[in-house]
Each structure stands twice: as C-alpha cells, then as structure tokens.
C-alpha cells in the first residue's frame, strides 16, 4: 500500500495511508467480524437472526 | 434598526403579520450585514441580492393580498452551496464544479421555496463537505464570528456564520459526520440532523449517500422545527409543544463519549445535567459497548463512498481539488471491499447498541463537540494527555449518529471563559423526531 503513492507521484499520501492502515487494523480486530474457522457468524449477524 | 442576530423566525412571523415589519425590510437588513461583515467572515460564496429583493417584494405583495404561505413566508434563509438552487451554480466550494449551474431546485429547496422562504445566498463550506473546519475551500476559509482567528466548524461553516452574524434568520446545512451539529456547536446555534432518510437529499452533492442528511441551523429549537417541517413539505406546522421536564428520562453514555473533553466543555456539560436534574429530569448512565470502533467504521464507509463519487474527477482534474481534500479522497481508493463490508456489519452493530441505549430513555445526552472552536490552521488538538488530529476530535461525538441514522440536535449550553460556545447534543429514537424536538425545547427553556 505504501509503495503505490510513490509510483503515482503522491508521496504525501504515504502518512495518510498509514492512518488508514491503523484504522483498518482496528476494524479487523473487532469482535463483530465473521470468523470462518469455527463456523461462527459475526455478532452483528447473530443478533439479527 | 432590526436586531437580526437575535430575531427568531417565530418573532419575525408575528411582527410580519402585525404589519410591524416587512419582508423587504428584513432582507435589506440582512444584506446590510452581509456587506459589513462578509468580507471578514467569508460566510457566503454567492449573495443573491437582486433575486432576494424581488422575492421579498413579492412576499409582501402576497401577504397584503391575503396569501400567507406559512411560517417561512418572507423569511431570509441561506443555503449551503452543496444544494441545488435553480439558476445558480452549486460549487461545493470546489474548482471542480466551476462550470456547474443548477437547472432545478433540490427537492428540499423546492419545498422551502413553496413555503415562501427567500434565498439570500449560497454559503461557504469545507470543499465537497469533506472536512470539519471549513479551511479547505476554493473560496477561502469561513471564520468564526466569536473569534475570526478560529474555525466556525464544518462542513456547514459558512451557514453557521451567516446565521450567527445576522445575515439570515435560518440556514440549511448537510450532515454526514456532524456537519450541521459541529458548526452549530462551534458558533453557538441550534443545529438539527433529522432521522436518516426523512428529508430528501435529491439535488444535493453527496459525500456518502449512506450517511448524508439535510437539516436546519437556527436560533431556537422552535425555529429548527419550523424549517424542518418546511423541508419535508409542510409549510404550516402546528406549534411545537415542550414535554414536561419532570419525568423526562435521559441516558448519558459516559464511557468513550465523556472520556476526552476539554475542561470547560466538561464543566458546562455537567452544569447542564445538574440544572436538568434540578428541574426533575431523570439522568442515568448508559453505554455503547463498541464505541471505540466508531471512528474506524465511519472512516471506511465515508472514504470509500466519497472515492467512488469522485473517481472520475480525481483522474481528470486532480489539480482542481484543494490538496488536503484530494489526499483524503485518494485515501478512499485504498479501502478494500472486505473492509467496507466489515464496516457495514459494524454499523449494524452500533445501530442496535444505540437502540438499546435508548430503551427506557426519552433521549441520549452528550456534548456535541469535545473542544471549543479550534484555531484556524491547527493540525492537532491536545485534551489532557490525548493529542489527536483536529478532524478526529471534532467528529468524535457526532459521527455515530450518522452511522446509525438516529435524529440528533445540538443546542447551546453556555460558554468558555474566552466566550466560545459550548453545546449539548440530544439524540432520539428513529422516526421519533418530533418527540426529540419536544424534549430539546424543554431543555432549551431550562438551560437557555
């Protein structure tokens, strides 16, 4: 992800993408996400059904 | 002399119908204030002086002939330059839109026109509504009337300035993460975001269609009610009646929402709660268990939606965006589809949690902004040990209710020792918008 801004001539995008990467890590760590390893469904989906 | 900065729509309507004032007089006074103060506050991108004068004369003629269009008859209203007003450009405060001219009114604007409102001009905003400070605008920053070295908030910053500086009696903004409530809080006005989907966004330049709302900024809760009903197509709503404060049940989500607050903002908020308790309001604590995930969820949705809308112009005319907004839009092109889906799941989770927090309560109550209006040019702000980008701090307490679609209103609740406004936010149940406004009206009377 951080190589692409250089290639596109937008090096100032790199620190911003690091911010996005931190937010993505936080989002992926949330317990409402699906987990295929044990057949569980996300908390969000579970409480809908 | 007409005291426009304090004149409500309600009072203007009474005086208009008592023949103590005319629409032409109020328009002239607003235009005079624009002439005097707009050069330093930069609230307006376009002033519709001739058109407004014509509309005012027509409004006076109609009233003399016995035609009363309702509560907004002859009322000068400014419009965020993100909504189409026929025959004028909708710039979105961007050079990307240089060639634009609206052929017809946005649906919400058409409703206001039918209700007799007079459009005094198009107001400045953060470019494409993608920011909270109003600094990144092709027309330069709007400035806070309480301290022109500070931001008026955003993205509807010019709208809030036009209202507070007496250049209009009400103004129309849009709110995708707090863009009505944040400038209302920073400038000391009432700012109201209805339930998602209530007011049409047809003819409004989108930021994220999943999160965009249209609503009013006004001088009082009653005025916000009048404009909100007109936006829906109801030009003559019944008077708004306050609920009794005694017995009103309010939930305060302290965890996360009250953890990072400027000392004086915290003091005004706690004083407000004390005043409401003393009046018989039942205040207890509630929680949003996944609150710490609000910002990542919001970011992935708004970035991806905005990047999709701007994809073509990011390629064909990238130099026409202000640099910060261009970079933020570019950031959205790096959101993976799987993360967008995760964010949508998270949004569902948060919606259920806000509904659960509202169970047994008439409203949630929290500050609108964790800080007073920040200085223009500040990149970050420090609150206690926490230092965050200004944008993150300003969105912290409002963006949740764009994700969940609940109606929310910001009302003034005192000032800091520097004279900067503080704001209380009330949040109601889905589609119970009138009930929220009735509660807000009662609170406004107690803390005003």
């Amino acid at each position: 992800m951080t190589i692409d801004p250089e290639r596109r001539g937008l090096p100032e995008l790199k620190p911003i993408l690091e911010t996005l990467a931190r937010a993505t890590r936080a989002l992926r760590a949330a317990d409402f996400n699906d987990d295929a390893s044990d057949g569980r469904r996300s908390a969000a989906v579970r409480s809908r059904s | 002399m007409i005291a426009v900065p304090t004149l409500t729509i309600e009072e203007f309507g009474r005086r208009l119908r008592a023949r103590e004032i005319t629409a032409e007089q109020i328009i002239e006074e607003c235009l005079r204030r624009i002439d005097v103060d707009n050069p330093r506050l930069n609230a307006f991108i376009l002033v519709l002086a001739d058109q407004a004068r014509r509309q005012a004369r027509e409004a006076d003629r109609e009233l003399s002939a016995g035609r009363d269009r309702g509560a907004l008859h002859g009322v000068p209203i400014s419009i965020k330059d993100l909504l189409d007003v026929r025959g004028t450009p909708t710039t979105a405060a961007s050079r990307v839109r240089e060639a634009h001219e609206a052929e017809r009114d946005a649906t919400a604007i058409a409703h206001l026109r039918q209700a007799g409102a007079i459009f005094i001009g198009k107001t400045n905003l953060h470019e494409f509504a993608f920011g909270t400070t109003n600094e990144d605008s092709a027309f330069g920053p709007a400035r806070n009337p309480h301290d022109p070295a500070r931001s008026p908030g955003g993205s509807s910053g010019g709208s809030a300035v036009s209202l507070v500086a007496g250049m209009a009696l009400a103004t129309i903004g849009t709110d995708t993460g707090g863009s009505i409530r944040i400038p209302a809080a920073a400038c000391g006005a009432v700012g109201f975001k209805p339930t998602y989907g209530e007011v049409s966004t047809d003819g409004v330049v989108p930021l994220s269609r999943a999160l965009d709302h249209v609503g009013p900024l006004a001088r009082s809760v009653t005025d916000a009610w009048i404009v909100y009903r007109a936006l829906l197509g109801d030009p003559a709503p019944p008077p708004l009646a306050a609920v009794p404060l005694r017995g009103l049940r309010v939930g305060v989500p302290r965890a996360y929402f009250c953890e990072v607050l400027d000392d004086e903002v915290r003091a005004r908020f706690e004083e407000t709660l004390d005043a409401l308790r003393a009046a018989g309001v039942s205040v207890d604590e509630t929680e949003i268990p996944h609150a710490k995930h609000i910002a990542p969820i919001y970011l992935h949705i708004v970035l991806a939606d905005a990047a999709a809308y701007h994809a073509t112009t990011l390629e064909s005319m990238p130099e026409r965006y202000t640099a910060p907004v261009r970079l933020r839009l570019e950031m959205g092109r790096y959101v993976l589809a799987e993360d967008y889906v995760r964010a949508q799941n998270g949004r569902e989770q948060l919606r259920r949690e806000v509904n659960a927090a509202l169970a047994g309560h008439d409203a949630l109550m929290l500050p609108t902004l964790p800080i007073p209006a920040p200085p223009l040019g500040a990149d970050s702000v420090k609150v206690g040990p926490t230092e965050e980008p200004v944008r993150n701090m300003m969105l912290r307490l409002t963006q949740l209710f764009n994700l969940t679609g609940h109606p929310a209103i910001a009302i003034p609740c005192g000032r800091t020792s520097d004279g900067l406004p503080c704001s209380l936010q009330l949040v109601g149940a889905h589609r119970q918008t009138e009930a929220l406004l009735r509660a807000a009206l009662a609170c406004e009377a107690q803390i005003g």
Side-chain angles (χ1 to χ4, degrees):
Chain A
M1 190 188 273
T2 52
I3 296 169
D4 197 46
E6 299 278 8
R7 185 181 57 77
R8 297 179 59 214
L10 283 170
E12 62 272 36
L13 194 53
K14 279 176 71 173
I16 296 181
L17 290 183
E18 283 158 13
T19 302
L20 175 61
R22 281 195 296 278
T24 302
R25 280 196 295 275
L27 178 67
R28 290 178 182 180
D31 65 1
F32 52 72
N33 290 313
D34 291 313
D35 180 350
S37 67
D38 62 359
R40 280 185 298 148
R41 301 167 74 197
S42 75
V45 175
R46 272 202 307 277
S47 56
R48 253 202 315 268
S49 54
Chain B
M1 179 72 74
I2 306 162
V4 181
T6 56
L7 184 65
T8 62
I9 293 171
E10 199 180 16
E11 174 66 6
F12 169 73
R14 191 191 62 70
R15 292 178 61 186
L16 182 74
R17 287 166 185 85
R19 305 293 192 263
E20 295 170 7
I21 192 172
T22 65
E24 204 170 356
Q25 284 172 324
I26 192 76
I27 288 294
E28 288 304 329
E29 182 57 17
C30 289
L31 290 172
R32 189 187 69 78
R33 287 188 164 270
I34 292 170
D35 277 347
V36 170
D37 283 333
N38 199 52
R40 73 185 178 94
L41 298 177
N42 204 20
F44 283 89
I45 288 172
L46 177 67
V47 179
L48 298 166
D50 293 343
Q51 183 178 310
R53 286 185 172 113
R54 276 198 306 277
Q55 281 185 281
R57 285 193 292 272
E58 180 61 20
D60 287 332
R61 271 197 298 272
E62 283 186 348
L63 207 57
S64 296
R67 184 178 184 199
D68 188 338
R69 289 174 179 260
L72 290 187
H73 191 112
V75 172
I77 291 186
S78 60
I79 309 293
K80 184 179 188 176
D81 201 11
L82 202 65
L83 292 93
D84 285 345
V85 174
R86 72 178 185 229
T88 70
T90 307
T91 70
S94 180
R95 290 181 52 234
V96 169
R97 306 264 305 179
E98 268 174 357
H100 180 266
E101 180 167 311
E103 292 177 0
R104 64 183 187 89
D105 287 334
T107 300
I109 296 298
H111 287 156
L112 294 180
R113 194 187 291 279
Q114 192 61 33
I118 296 174
F119 305 133
I120 196 147
K122 305 290 293 290
T123 54
N124 205 349
L125 64 146
H126 209 112
E127 185 180 27
F128 281 109
F130 210 3
T132 59
T133 61
N134 216 131
E135 286 171 291
D136 303 318
S137 160
F139 301 90
R143 295 176 178 275
N144 195 312
H146 299 282
D147 177 354
R150 291 180 182 269
S151 163
S155 62
S156 312
S159 287
V161 176
S162 72
L163 175 70
V164 172
M167 300 164 175
L169 262 60
T171 183
I172 305 302
T174 64
D175 191 317
T176 305
S179 285
I180 288 172
R181 291 161 288 157
I182 290 168
C187 292
V190 171
F192 172 51
K193 178 193 86 64
T195 303
Y196 176 78
E198 270 187 295
V199 176
S200 171
T201 54
D202 167 61
V204 181
V205 178
L207 175 55
S208 161
R209 289 190 175 96
L211 308 176
D212 292 341
H213 299 65
V214 172
L217 293 89
R219 297 215 171 92
S220 68
V221 173
T222 293
D223 281 6
W225 160 252
I226 289 168
V227 180
Y228 155 67
R229 291 302 308 180
L231 287 167
L232 294 176
D234 175 8
L240 185 69
V243 298
L245 279 178
R246 187 159 298 284
L248 188 71
R249 300 158 306 165
V250 162
V252 178
R254 289 198 178 270
Y256 181 82
F257 299 95
C258 296
E259 285 171 0
V260 181
L261 294 180
D262 169 88
D263 287 345
E264 291 197 84
V265 169
R266 183 186 301 282
R268 296 300 91 76
F269 178 62
E270 295 299 342
E271 289 161 10
T272 300
L273 292 183
D274 288 344
L276 293 173
R277 277 193 205 95
V281 175
S282 160
V283 179
D284 63 19
E285 197 165 328
T286 185
E287 63 169 350
I288 306 296
H290 284 85
K292 71 175 182 181
H293 295 292
I294 293 168
I297 291 168
Y298 177 81
L299 193 67
H300 284 79
I301 294 173
V302 77
L303 285 179
D305 284 356
Y309 180 73
H310 288 273
T312 303
T313 42
L314 277 174
E315 290 298 324
S316 63
M317 51 182 82
E319 74 288 350
R320 292 200 188 179
Y321 290 92
T322 63
V325 168
R326 179 193 174 193
L327 285 178
R328 215 169 292 141
L329 290 168
E330 286 285 352
M331 189 176 170
R333 308 175 101 179
Y334 293 83
V335 173
L336 295 183
E338 64 177 76
D339 293 316
Y340 190 81
V341 172
R342 287 187 181 100
Q344 293 292 356
N345 283 341
R347 184 182 177 198
E348 283 293 317
Q349 181 69 24
L350 290 170
R351 187 177 292 137
R352 273 190 296 278
E353 291 180 4
V354 173
N355 285 339
L358 277 163
H361 296 117
D362 297 298
L364 303 182
M365 208 171 267
L366 63 161
T368 309
L369 262 180
I371 52 171
L376 288 166
D379 289 327
S380 63
V381 59
K382 197 162 190 288
V383 177
T386 306
E387 183 159 7
E388 279 200 40
V390 166
R391 173 186 162 80
N392 295 6
M393 191 66 84
M394 293 182 89
L395 287 168
R396 183 178 170 92
L397 306 182
T398 51
Q399 61 194 344
L400 170 61
F401 310 108
N402 295 82
L403 287 169
T404 66
H406 291 82
I409 184 165
I411 61 176
C413 70
R415 295 192 175 205
T416 67
S417 51
D418 290 335
L420 297 172
C422 300
S423 177
L424 175 73
Q425 185 176 198
L426 282 80
V427 180
H430 267 269
R431 299 278 168 194
Q432 300 298 312
T433 310
E434 182 175 347
L436 171 67
L437 290 174
R438 292 181 64 201
L441 181 63
C443 294
E444 177 186 52
Q446 185 64 25
I447 64 181

